[in-house]
Amino acid sequence: MELRPLREFSTQEIIELWNLEIGNDFPMQEALWEQNTFGDLNLIEEGSVAFTEDGKLAGFIAVKSFQELSEAIMPQDIGWIQCLLVKKEMRGQGLGSRMLKHAEECLGHRGMREIRLGRDPWHYFPGIPVEYEETVQWFKGQGYSRDSIESDLFRRVEGTAPYDLVNSTGHFRVLEQQDLPELLDFLEAAFPGRWHYEALHYLETGASGREFLGLYIEGTLKGFCRINDSASPLIAQNVYWSSLVEGELAGIGPLGIDRTARGKGYGLDLVKAAANELMARGSAAIVIDWTGLTAFYEKLGFAVWKQYTAMSKKTANNRE
C-alpha cells in the first residue's frame, strides 16, 4: 500500500478518522489540529505520511524535529512522533510498522539521537494514554522503552470557595502587556527551554498578558504561572479536551518559582491564586496537565484525570 504525504489529506479527513478511533477519549477539533500539526514549523513533511483504503484515509503519522529559528534553547538532536493512528480494521497488517520505520529513517537522516513519543513542541500527549496498553506493548516491540508516567489532574471548582493563601495576596497579580518583556527575561534566565519557547509564541499573538500570573517579591518577578481558558489566543494543552467537561474548562500550568524564593510556600500559593483568578472568571473546572507532582496538587483537591506512559528510543546516531 502506497504511503502518501500527510499534507495531501484535509484536516477534516484527519479529524474524522481521529474521532472515529479515539474521539471518545480525546476529541479532536479542526482548530487544534491546524495549530499543533499543520501549523507547526517543526513538522517534518517528508516523514509525515498516510495511507488510504478504498480511497478513504485509514492511517497516518506526524513527525517532528525542532526546525524553527528561536531565541529559546530547544533540543536539536531529539525527534518526536507526534501521533500515529491506524484504523482499527486495518491493524495487524504491518502498516503502522511501515509508517513508523519511514518516520524513524527520516529522523535518523536528520541526525536525531533520540525519538520520543509525544512531548513535541505543540504536542497532543506527553506519552501514550495508559488505557491504550496494547499500543504501549506494540511500541515496546518496536524498540521503545518506558520512561515515566505523566498525569493530567482535574478539579471541579464551580460553586466552591476561593483558596486561602499563606502569603500575602499582594505578591500575586495577573500580568499586563507591559510586563511580558520582564517575563521573557525571567524565563530565559530561570527556565530556559520549552517554557521560554511557549511564552515567545504567546507574545507573537499580541496577547494582553492575562494568561500569566506573576509572583512579585520586592517589586521583582520571582515566579510565574500560566492560566488558560476559552478566551486565550492559543489553545493551550490543559484545555485541549474541553468538550469532555461540562461548563467552562480552564487550565493551570506550567508553574515555576525562582530558586531564591523556594521553600516559603509561594509555589502552592501561586497555584491557589491562579485557581482563584480562574474561578473569578467563571471557570467551572480546572485541569493541570503533564505533571509528575500529583501529591503537590492533591493538597488543593486535584485528582488524577488522565495518565500517559512516556516512551523513547535511542537511534543509531546515539551509538556512533
Side-chain angles (χ1 to χ4, degrees):
M1 191 170 290
E2 181 185 7
L3 297 182
R4 296 164 54 189
L6 184 58
R7 286 278 187 185
E8 289 187 4
F9 298 87
S10 69
T11 296
Q12 189 57 47
E13 289 176 289
I14 293 166
I15 63 175
E16 180 179 345
L17 176 60
W18 177 298
N19 286 332
L20 176 68
E21 297 299 326
I22 63 172
N24 288 336
D25 300 319
F26 303 97
M28 179 57 65
Q29 54 178 307
E30 184 173 342
L32 179 58
W33 179 267
E34 288 288 340
Q35 173 186 276
N36 284 21
T37 305
F38 281 168
D40 186 4
L41 297 174
N42 302 301
L43 185 72
I44 301 177
E45 301 288 349
E46 69 272 20
S48 301
V49 294
F51 67 88
T52 61
E53 179 198 24
D54 297 329
K56 293 196 68 175
L57 181 65
F60 62 86
I61 188 169
V63 189
K64 297 181 181 180
S65 66
F66 194 74
Q67 302 168 68
E68 293 181 59
L69 295 175
S70 176
E71 298 174 25
I73 301 171
M74 294 291 283
Q76 303 298 314
D77 59 355
I78 293 175
W80 297 277
I81 308 297
Q82 184 190 40
C83 52
L84 189 163
L85 187 64
V86 176
K87 189 177 180 181
K88 191 171 298 182
E89 293 81 359
M90 299 293 291
R91 296 173 190 172
Q93 301 179 37
L95 295 166
S97 300
R98 186 179 168 193
M99 290 194 296
L100 182 61
K101 182 180 179 182
H102 175 84
E104 290 177 342
E105 288 176 350
C106 287
L107 291 168
H109 291 153
R110 286 172 172 255
M112 300 300 109
R113 297 170 62 85
E114 180 180 321
I115 302 172
R116 294 179 180 175
L117 305 182
R119 294 183 276 176
D120 48 295
W122 307 95
H123 69 287
Y124 296 116
F125 310 110
I128 299 172
V130 294
E131 60 265 41
Y132 302 161
E133 178 61 23
E134 185 176 335
T135 303
V136 172
Q137 294 302 322
W138 184 84
F139 272 105
K140 283 186 68 177
Q142 303 294 323
Y144 288 78
S145 59
R146 298 175 188 252
D147 296 331
S148 61
I149 297 294
E150 305 297 335
S151 300
D152 292 346
L153 308 179
F154 177 91
R155 187 188 180 203
R156 182 159 289 280
V157 295
E158 188 175 29
T160 63
Y163 291 103
D164 292 324
L165 277 60
V166 174
N167 295 284
S168 167
T169 58
H171 286 297
F172 310 95
R173 67 172 175 84
V174 176
L175 300 191
E176 298 179 358
Q177 198 167 48
Q178 61 264 30
D179 299 316
L180 296 180
E182 183 184 13
L183 171 68
L184 291 178
D185 289 343
F186 171 75
L187 291 173
E188 185 175 20
F191 300 100
R194 189 186 190 99
W195 293 353
H196 182 215
Y197 165 80
E198 291 175 345
L200 285 167
H201 274 282
Y202 173 79
L203 194 66
E204 289 173 359
T205 68
S208 66
R210 68 183 290 277
E211 278 68 36
F212 284 90
L213 205 74
L215 161 66
Y216 286 86
I217 300 176
E218 296 180 354
T220 301
L221 185 66
K222 290 292 185 178
F224 82 103
C225 181
R226 186 157 178 173
I227 54 179
N228 308 288
D229 56 22
S230 60
S232 298
L234 299 168
I235 306 172
Q237 54 270 28
N238 32 42
V239 297
Y240 284 168
W241 320 121
S242 57
S243 62
L244 295 176
V245 177
E246 183 179 351
E248 170 79 6
L249 179 64
I252 289 177
L255 159 79
I257 304 292
D258 188 84
R259 291 183 181 277
T260 62
R262 294 176 189 173
K264 302 174 183 177
Y266 288 127
L268 206 58
D269 273 353
L270 189 51
V271 179
K272 292 177 182 178
N276 289 347
E277 173 64 24
L278 290 171
M279 285 189 276
R281 294 180 186 181
S283 301
I286 298 173
V287 165
I288 297 168
D289 73 294
W290 189 355
T291 182
L293 304 176
T294 54
F296 176 79
Y297 293 108
E298 284 172 350
K299 297 175 184 177
L300 302 180
F302 286 85
V304 171
W305 185 41
K306 294 179 179 292
Q307 290 191 301
Y308 310 88
T309 302
M311 303 187 76
S312 63
K313 178 181 182 178
K314 305 297 183 185
T315 71
N317 296 322
N318 211 301
R319 299 187 287 273
E320 291 177 354

